[in-house]
Amino acid sequence: MAFPNKGVMDKTALRVWFEKLRHPERRWLRVPIGIALVFGGLVGFLPVVGFWMIPLGLSLLALDFPAAAKANRWIERKFRAAVAWAARRGLLRRRRPD
């Protein structure tokens, strides 16, 4: 019998994993993962890694470091401004519900 999602983490499991990382006693794990994600994002032009890793790493680091929280807010503002700009020019397509 084949399992359709074998080896693939679903959204619920991923959400639970990230919620566990947010607990204060998990700082020893959160900081190295956040740093690795940011550095991995800096070489986002390479296969497997990507620029999406930078905001994810900063959001993990923002729980412990105010400077990371400030950088995370700056990236979020710039991203929202870029999406609004693209929407005003009609460059975004709506997704069809599956």
Side-chain angles (χ1 to χ4, degrees), residues 34 37-38 53-63 67-69 71-72 75:
L37 285 168
V38 170
M53 296 168 70
I54 296 172
L56 184 60
L58 284 175
S59 65
L60 281 177
L61 292 172
L63 296 170
N72 200 26
I75 288 173

Side-chain angles (χ1 to χ4, degrees), residues 5 13 20-21 31 33 35 40 44 47 64 66 73 81 84:
N5 290 331
K20 286 181 181 180
L21 274 179
V31 171
I33 289 174
I35 291 170
D64 298 312
R73 285 191 304 271

Side-chain angles (χ1 to χ4, degrees), residues 4-97:
N5 290 331
K6 185 177 180 187
V8 177
M9 187 179 272
D10 64 344
K11 289 180 182 180
T12 308
L14 193 61
R15 186 175 296 130
V16 168
W17 192 76
F18 277 116
E19 285 299 321
K20 286 181 181 180
L21 274 179
R22 294 183 69 197
H23 290 288
E25 66 271 3
R26 300 287 176 131
R27 181 179 181 173
W28 64 271
L29 184 61
R30 184 173 52 239
V31 171
I33 289 174
I35 291 170
L37 285 168
V38 170
F39 281 122
L42 293 176
V43 292
F45 56 88
L46 296 173
V48 180
V49 295
F51 295 113
W52 58 268
M53 296 168 70
I54 296 172
L56 184 60
L58 284 175
S59 65
L60 281 177
L61 292 172
L63 296 170
D64 298 312
F65 303 105
K70 185 177 178 181
N72 200 26
R73 285 191 304 271
W74 182 82
I75 288 173
E76 186 176 340
R77 272 195 317 271
K78 295 298 179 182
F79 180 76
R80 287 185 181 176
V83 168
W85 177 84
R88 282 192 306 270
R89 283 156 182 77
L91 301 173
L92 298 178
R93 292 184 299 189
R94 284 193 163 174
R95 286 182 144 186
R96 287 185 285 155

